[in-house]
Amino acid sequence: MEFSLPAFENLPAAPVAEKRPLSDTRHGITRTDDYAWMRDDKWQAMFKDPSILDPAIRTHLEAENAYQKAAMADTEALQKTLFAEMRGRIKEDDSSVPAPDGPWLYGVRYVTGGEQPKHFRIPRDGGAEQMMLDGDLEAQGKAYFRLAGAGHSPDHARMIWGYDDKGSEFFTLKVRDLATGEDSADLIENTGGGGAWAADCTGFFYTAVDDNHRPSKIFYHRLGTVQGEDVLIHEETDSGFFMGVHGSSLNDFILIGINDHETSECWVMPASNPSAKPLLVAARETGVEYSLSEGGDVFFILTNADGAKDFKICQAPVTAPWRENWSEVVAHKPGRLILSVSAYRNHLVWMERENGLPRIVIQDRTSGEQHAIAFDEEAYALGFHGSMEYFTDIVRFAYSSMTTPSELYDYNMATRERTLLKREEVPSGHNPADYVTRRVMAPADDGELVPVTLLYRRDTPLDGTAPCLLYGYGSYGIAIPAGFNTNCLSLVDRGFVYAIAHIRGGKEKGFAWYEAGKRGYKTNTFTDFIAAARYLDKERFTSHERIVAQGGSAGGMLMGAVANMAPDAFGAIIAAVPFVDVLNTMLDDTLPLTPPEWPEWGNPVASFEDYQTIAGYSPYDNVTAQAYPPILAVAGLTDPRVTYWEPAKWVARVRDLSTSDQPVLFKINMTAGHAGASGRFQRLEEIAFEYAFALKVTGKI
């Protein structure tokens, strides 16, 4: 394919990475990695102190940043314009609608110019607002700062709050007295980012993260003591499982959840007795998932046990929630995927998805009568906010579509009355009638139909001349919602078609849609995305050379795979924090997420078949001498999820082997991790950079 829209001219010489061949033999197969040296030997320590990065690696990464800056120099004014547009669509002094909990209403707001959230509360019966936590104040002087949230105690006297100031997701917890606004001497480091209060509010439970960034232990911290005195509550010895802890809705149980991507296990203990031994609800069984929601004298259990692939809801007494006591409340229905469940005094509520669209279903716990909350648009997003209170008939939900700004409602489950609380404001203006949202079906190679959500201006010509940004993810069962996104309007208003391919590996069409895009079936994810691109070209929504493919993390792996498999189907590729060195990462069980990821991708250490499967698509391992389109990779130095050396190595290899004259750019944030910049406006600058690349490669600047 000839890339017919030459956008890059008079570029300086691209960085040429030194080749230091390192060989590795597995299952009798020897591979040689020319760029393995880009992985810092001290990577674990470097995540906590980036200043110790190997100087040779730092020099190479800085050269990459200099090259991409030169390549994108002619877009600097455009980036500022895009940033101003996206910022102009944000109500800078925005506030959430405070949510009730006991005597207080709790909320979050931003102020004009502020990067970080501010947590506040207001007396429920009226009175002065109290600022609980000022994120902008806490972030002062820090290049990176991310709040982990703020959890107030059941007696409303204190708050646990956490932060990460490296981007490496090792969170520090502090305890704040809400009467004085002062933090105590309690300081808990290297945590997962939150805590669960004991019933008497004199201490809390938290997840500790080890040096390999694995949440392997649950501790109890008594207020006024040092971290070294914290009591170990539970330890997970299998490095393939994640672990977390949270409290129940009535604050009377502590729930410990352990899971990988296909198996789960729950332990419970009374919140009133931190010295109690956690009790196992149901021992882990490979492929069986379950989770608990308290409903007074019962736990409701969302599970796929007994062949309920798309999940069912059971219940069991809180005094004996063991598997043998589970009784069915909501039966399994094939193709109707139950996503979550919440319980209140009089009602049971669950989110479900069928035929690609979500709805909220409410069941009266006494009569069993059900009704649903759903909408009529072709594609939309629905979010259930619920309530912090158990003894209530009022819950909250949010609705939006690609054309409709988000709307927040209070919903009375007894009377079925909706009350609009807030409609998302777009200060710079937005007329939904100017835009069209569509849901089309792209035929895959094997006959499956892949849903694709489209957004474009009503006056955009659909004759193949419109550029298109085609987004995809397709892993972990994550469904990409067709919700309102003000940022993409900067492309759509410039004539782009914005498209989301709901490919296999997500759960848009039920659990089977996920299964058909994992492990041995992973290539379906990639061929679905390519099929979506070819369909959009065939139907003249766009043309191949005008399609900019975009994905991040596991979606970045998708980008690397489709670039190898069908470079002619795309005019350019944007890969954010791309998981592209899949085989090497899955072979290294010292890396933070490798053992927990084996159920998703396969275990190439133990299985030759899994080795062959991953080796067959791993983007880094399948780069070949062919004409690649322009590529932009974006990453963060302290990312513990997709380590920086994955995209660094991939970029070096693509650049070395590509037979086209198109550039491969690599932008690495030297002060951030997986989520990119931490401030809300800093993040917009990164999006503006990516969109400027898309506009540049499609000749729109």
Side-chain angles (χ1 to χ4, degrees):
M1 170 182 173
E2 289 293 329
F3 300 98
S4 59
L5 299 170
F8 296 92
E9 298 176 344
N10 303 316
L11 289 180
V16 177
E18 180 184 353
K19 294 183 179 180
R20 305 179 194 172
L22 179 68
S23 294
D24 178 67
T25 301
R26 307 290 181 107
H27 304 291
I29 300 172
T30 298
R31 295 174 303 113
T32 299
D33 188 346
D34 289 332
Y35 305 110
W37 63 269
M38 292 187 187
R39 168 177 163 166
D40 193 314
D41 292 338
K42 307 181 298 296
W43 61 269
Q44 291 157 309
M46 189 277 296
F47 281 168
K48 297 181 180 180
D49 182 7
S51 69
I52 68 172
L53 179 67
D54 183 305
I57 299 172
R58 183 178 295 277
T59 297
H60 177 73
L61 297 179
E62 289 174 346
E64 289 284 11
N65 272 339
Y67 176 63
Q68 58 84 6
K69 187 172 183 180
M72 294 290 288
D74 61 343
T75 70
E76 289 182 3
L78 174 62
Q79 291 176 49
K80 292 178 181 177
T81 299
L82 293 168
F83 172 78
E85 288 176 5
M86 290 186 282
R87 183 167 180 168
R89 299 188 193 103
I90 295 175
K91 189 174 186 295
E92 292 201 23
D93 58 347
D94 200 14
S95 175
S96 67
V97 179
D101 186 21
W104 295 92
L105 302 169
Y106 288 87
V108 177
R109 76 155 49 90
Y110 287 89
V111 298
T112 301
E115 294 275 9
Q116 300 288 342
K118 300 176 186 291
H119 293 260
F120 68 92
R121 66 181 183 179
I122 304 169
R124 193 165 185 167
D125 296 330
E129 174 187 300
Q130 178 184 354
M131 183 59 61
M132 300 161 59
L133 179 66
D134 185 334
D136 287 319
L137 182 63
E138 301 297 338
Q140 284 182 1
K142 294 180 170 64
Y144 181 94
F145 185 81
R146 175 186 167 195
L147 283 173
H152 60 270
S153 56
D155 64 3
H156 305 276
R158 297 179 179 86
M159 173 180 70
I160 305 167
W161 68 280
Y163 66 89
D164 167 23
D165 58 9
K166 300 290 190 305
S168 54
E169 300 181 45
F170 287 96
F171 289 93
T172 298
L173 299 181
K174 291 186 174 183
V175 178
R176 178 160 297 185
D177 186 309
L178 293 178
T180 65
E182 298 294 325
D183 290 328
S184 68
D186 300 79
L187 188 71
I188 313 298
E189 297 181 308
N190 298 327
T191 80
W197 286 98
D200 64 3
C201 304
T202 60
F204 59 88
F205 303 83
Y206 66 91
T207 307
V209 179
D210 65 18
D211 287 341
N212 281 9
H213 211 277
R214 292 173 184 151
S216 59
K217 296 179 180 179
I218 303 293
F219 285 95
Y220 173 71
H221 175 76
R222 184 167 57 84
L223 298 182
T225 65
V226 297
Q227 185 174 5
E229 297 176 3
D230 291 351
V231 178
L232 178 64
I233 299 298
H234 193 74
E235 180 174 6
E236 174 53 51
T237 57
D238 188 333
S239 60
F241 281 78
F242 302 97
M243 183 164 60
V245 61
H246 65 278
S248 64
S249 56
L250 287 168
N251 303 310
D252 49 3
F253 289 100
I254 298 297
L255 307 173
I256 297 172
I258 303 171
N259 67 280
D260 62 11
H261 292 298
E262 63 181 14
T263 303
S264 56
E265 181 176 275
C266 295
W267 298 69
V268 300
M269 60 182 292
S272 60
N273 184 6
S275 62
K277 183 179 179 181
L279 298 176
L280 176 63
V281 174
R284 68 190 67 170
E285 179 182 331
T286 299
V288 175
E289 300 179 62
Y290 71 97
S291 59
L292 273 59
S293 299
E294 187 189 7
D297 58 351
V298 299
F299 282 120
F300 289 100
I301 302 112
L302 178 63
T303 182
N304 65 350
D306 308 313
K309 179 176 291 189
D310 287 311
F311 288 79
K312 63 181 179 179
I313 302 173
C314 299
Q315 71 176 29
V318 295
T319 54
W322 332 128
R323 174 87 176 260
E324 59 268 23
N325 294 332
W326 294 3
S327 60
E328 188 175 277
V329 177
V330 179
H332 172 246
K333 177 184 175 183
R336 188 270 316 265
L337 179 65
I338 302 179
L339 303 167
S340 63
V341 61
S342 301
Y344 303 92
R345 176 182 55 183
N346 298 319
H347 299 90
L348 184 66
V349 186
W350 63 89
M351 280 280 296
E352 63 182 38
R353 186 185 299 112
E354 191 169 18
N355 298 321
L357 291 176
R359 59 177 169 258
I360 298 167
V361 182
I362 297 166
Q363 178 172 297
D364 186 291
R365 289 179 62 179
T366 301
S367 68
E369 183 181 5
Q370 295 180 6
H371 68 277
I373 304 172
F375 293 83
D376 296 328
E377 288 194 73
E378 250 184 83
Y380 60 85
L382 203 56
F384 183 67
H385 293 224
S387 171
M388 287 189 281
E389 299 182 307
Y390 176 79
F391 296 100
T392 183
D393 288 331
I394 307 297
V395 291
R396 286 185 180 171
F397 71 88
Y399 166 80
S400 73
S401 74
M402 299 286 280
T403 59
T404 307
S406 180
E407 298 172 341
L408 182 69
Y409 291 89
D410 263 355
Y411 184 78
N412 189 307
M413 296 181 285
T415 67
R416 307 187 185 185
E417 179 184 6
R418 300 180 190 180
T419 303
L420 178 64
L421 300 176
K422 181 182 179 181
R423 180 175 286 114
E424 180 180 353
E425 294 183 44
V426 182
S428 60
H430 175 71
N431 181 8
D434 291 340
Y435 303 91
V436 176
T437 295
R438 291 190 59 189
R439 174 68 63 86
V440 297
M441 294 291 181
D445 293 346
D446 60 359
E448 285 283 4
L449 295 178
V450 180
V452 183
T453 301
L454 304 176
L455 173 70
Y456 51 88
R457 285 190 65 90
R458 197 169 295 277
D459 57 2
T460 297
L462 301 180
D463 57 3
T465 62
C468 172
L469 189 137
L470 177 60
Y471 176 84
Y473 189 74
S475 290
Y476 305 115
I478 294 173
I480 305 302
F484 191 63
N485 173 3
T486 60
N487 294 330
C488 72
L489 296 177
S490 285
L491 293 180
V492 172
D493 286 344
R494 287 173 171 81
F496 267 70
V497 173
Y498 184 85
I500 302 171
H502 303 284
I503 51 186
R504 277 175 280 190
K507 291 179 182 173
E508 283 88 343
K509 295 176 73 173
F511 197 85
W513 198 245
Y514 169 42
E515 288 185 314
K518 67 182 290 193
R519 296 194 72 155
Y521 302 100
K522 191 62 208 171
T523 54
N524 285 334
T525 301
F526 316 138
T527 54
D528 281 0
F529 191 81
I530 294 166
R534 299 208 187 282
Y535 175 84
L536 294 176
D537 173 86
K538 176 177 177 291
E539 297 298 319
R540 309 297 286 162
F541 288 104
T542 184
S543 56
H544 283 312
E545 71 274 10
R546 298 177 185 274
I547 297 177
V548 180
Q550 183 190 43
S553 195
M557 175 196 64
L558 167 69
M559 296 299 101
V562 301
N564 290 334
M565 296 169 66
D568 62 317
F570 308 98
I573 303 282
I574 300 174
V577 290
F579 176 37
V580 283
D581 195 12
V582 184
L583 185 57
N584 279 323
T585 295
M586 289 297 100
L587 284 168
D588 186 351
D589 61 7
T590 70
L591 292 173
L593 295 183
T594 292
E597 295 289 295
W598 285 333
E600 180 76 14
W601 315 108
N603 181 349
V605 177
S607 167
F608 176 56
E609 181 180 359
D610 287 350
Y611 180 99
Q612 288 181 306
T613 297
I614 296 172
Y617 69 75
S618 176
Y620 180 64
D621 296 278
N622 287 278
V623 175
T624 60
Q626 61 179 333
Y628 285 88
I631 292 175
L632 170 64
V634 180
L637 179 63
T638 54
D639 186 348
R641 298 171 184 263
V642 177
T643 50
Y644 73 86
W645 57 82
E646 293 204 30
K649 291 166 54 179
W650 176 62
V651 163
R653 192 166 191 181
V654 174
R655 190 181 289 144
D656 180 54
L657 292 176
S658 178
T659 61
S660 78
D661 59 357
Q662 297 300 319
V664 182
L665 308 182
F666 183 32
K667 180 180 182 182
I668 180 164
N669 190 326
M670 302 297 280
T671 60
H674 194 69
S678 55
R680 59 173 176 160
F681 300 130
Q682 292 170 336
R683 178 60 187 143
L684 291 183
E685 291 175 347
E686 295 182 342
I687 297 171
F689 180 85
E690 295 176 17
Y691 282 7
F693 175 84
L695 289 161
K696 181 177 173 69
V697 297
T698 53
K700 284 291 187 176
I701 64 170

